[in-house]
Amino acid sequence: MTLDGERRIPFSIYTRSHSTCAPDAEHGRASFGFNRLPAELQLRILASCPPSTLFQLMHVSSTLRAEASKRFRAEPSAYFLVEAWWLLDGAHPGKTSCDMAFLAHVENIEVEYQPSLTTEICPRRNDVLTIRQDLIRAFWNSLTRIFPEVKKVILNHNGECITWPDGPGPLPLALQLLLRACPRHVDASTLMLDKGDPARGSGTVGMPLERWRRSVYRLGEDGLWKRSEPDKVRMTVMMPVKRFIGPVGEFQKLYYDFTENILLQKYELWPLMVEALDRHHFDGGNREPFSCPIPECHAYLEKPGAWTIHVAEMHFQERKRLVEALPCALKVGFKNRMHALEAKAKEIDAQYKRIGDEWNEKDGLRRRDMERSWMEQLENDEAWSTGNAARESPLWTEFPKQVYVGEGCT
Ligand SMILES: [Zn+2]
């Protein structure tokens, strides 16, 4: 989960088989028997398979690969995640951890659209608004080039846009322009955090959370924006990752492990703790109003869900204070999890330090070796191409700064 509360499903979990007794030999036998069924029956069975089973079939059965792959990619509730800045920047393989070969088959895409991008696409200087048509073109050119099979795109704008309103309509101008520029064969929409009905609530300071809502907007055939409720079963699935090989890959893996693994797991602890405490008092027929467990807070929570709103308004992301205040039955598991994540972060820090020490050795021999191997890989390995010459690659120009300050996990 991100700091903003967006749920992320790692690809490995999305495709993990839930069967506890499926060794390879069993797969082989099942697949053999399956192949002898009439084709029509095979297709009907495939139609009821979850994505994890389809993914396994893509890898164990040559006869079923094409059909399983088609159904896996067309799973309507799964949207694969990509970042907007990467598309705007030209979608270079070296600036992502995604497996580029997989991207070529993706049909449903969720674009993580940071609200700050609005000021990149529509900058305003001295009260003059500029529209960066070049960026809007770059966005769709990148997207349709990298995802040639794309059918649906949802731009997820989860946050308050500080410059909004910058034009008429329910969306920031930059989002409106991006959606209007969408190719005809793509169904594009945006998932917005918006303020809901302006008649409800009052003022801007201490605005009650219940005024905020999430909405989907798409452009109607009449040119007007249509609002609908978000799809509750939609899942955001993280792309499978590339192989981190060579000196560049090994170094980038440290950054990936920290930002995409440890940080997301760390952020999810807080909402999990919040929900666990709510369920502790109100689940399974229990109905036990309770006092806010955070020291010096006197709030009294009388109904299910009241705690969630209270903690979001008053104690946002206070992981350490909250874990200490949990009942013992909940505390142990969460503390163990926190310690495990801290240990992993320390391990990554130690690896940054080890590389930094080698880089900074006094005789400079190791530094020359490292430079030579980095240049060789950046010049020849398409997986790390950034659109720059090897020596100007941001991966290389940032490398000495990252190892010098060991900034990976700080
Ligand atoms: Zn409180």
Side-chain angles (χ1 to χ4, degrees), residues 292-294 297-299 307 310 314-315:
C292 174
I294 303 285
C297 179
H298 304 293
W307 155 248
H310 167 74
M314 306 303 294
H315 313 295

Side-chain angles (χ1 to χ4, degrees), residues 48 84 88 104 122 135 162 169 177-178 194 217 264 270 300 322 337 349 367 406 410:
S48 61
L88 291 165
C122 296
L135 286 182
I162 48 169
L177 294 169
L178 272 175
D194 66 18
Y217 288 96
L264 293 180
W270 182 79
Y300 188 65
L322 180 54
R337 186 91 185 116
D349 248 349
R367 179 181 290 214
T410 52

Side-chain angles (χ1 to χ4, degrees), residues 51 58 83 134 139 158 177 184 198 228 303 365 379 384:
M58 282 160 60
E83 291 174 278
D134 58 322
F139 179 90
N158 180 10
L177 294 169
R184 279 182 170 273
S228 58
K303 54 183 182 181
L365 291 175
E379 279 162 12
W384 296 106

Side-chain angles (χ1 to χ4, degrees), residues 5 9 36 65 109 121 135 143 180 190-191 194 220 245 251 263 265 291 312 340:
I9 301 175
R36 292 166 61 187
R65 182 168 298 134
I109 300 163
I121 296 169
L135 286 182
L143 194 137
R180 284 182 191 279
T190 183
L191 178 64
D194 66 18
I245 51 175
F251 188 70
L263 269 190
Q265 290 181 48
S291 298

Side-chain angles (χ1 to χ4, degrees), residues 11-19 22-24 27 31 46 49-62 64-65 68-69 72:
F11 188 78
S12 57
I13 291 179
Y14 178 65
T15 53
R16 182 182 297 164
S17 168
H18 298 292
S19 167
D24 287 343
H27 268 303
S31 162
L46 278 184
C49 287
S52 56
T53 307
L54 294 171
F55 189 70
Q56 307 297 328
L57 285 171
M58 282 160 60
H59 293 86
V60 297
S61 165
S62 55
L64 295 174
R65 182 168 298 134
S69 167
F72 177 81

Side-chain angles (χ1 to χ4, degrees), residues 242-256:
K242 61 168 77 168
R243 291 175 64 214
F244 293 98
I245 51 175
V248 182
E250 284 164 19
F251 188 70
Q252 294 303 320
K253 185 169 189 308
L254 297 179
Y255 181 76
Y256 166 80

